[in-house]
Amino acid sequence: MAPNNVTECICHDREFIEIKQYANQNNITSLDELQNQNYCSNSCGLCAPYVEIVLETGQTEFKPGEPFRKKR
């Protein structure tokens, strides 16, 4: 892991790799489902865009702000 990369939901103290595994094991495909189970991303919400990408792509480590950068 590179220093200062975003790798977890801070409020729930869950790494994105854990979130990915939980979602796969429980057939969860949306952020709403994870939030409804109070598993992640429903306190401060800062990780929400990252968790959506985890669910879409399986990526579990991000440079800060990466989901917000415009693709060229």
Side-chain angles (χ1 to χ4, degrees):
M1 173 175 77
N4 301 318
N5 275 358
V6 179
T7 60
E8 67 182 314
C9 170
I10 298 167
C11 297
H12 289 273
D13 193 28
R14 297 192 200 279
E15 292 188 6
F16 294 146
I17 189 76
E18 293 176 74
I19 295 169
K20 177 182 167 187
Q21 291 169 344
Y22 180 85
N24 288 342
Q25 291 169 352
N26 293 283
N27 296 316
I28 293 172
T29 59
S30 74
L31 177 63
D32 286 340
E33 290 175 277
L34 289 168
Q35 290 173 323
N36 288 339
Q37 294 184 22
N38 199 33
Y39 193 78
C40 68
S41 193
N42 56 351
S43 292
C44 75
L46 290 174
C47 70
Y50 298 100
V51 172
E52 287 178 331
I53 293 173
V54 168
L55 295 172
E56 289 172 17
T57 70
Q59 181 179 347
T60 59
E61 187 172 324
F62 305 89
K63 294 177 183 159
E66 188 172 348
F68 308 105
R69 292 192 181 119
K70 292 182 180 179
K71 305 211 185 223
R72 295 176 189 221

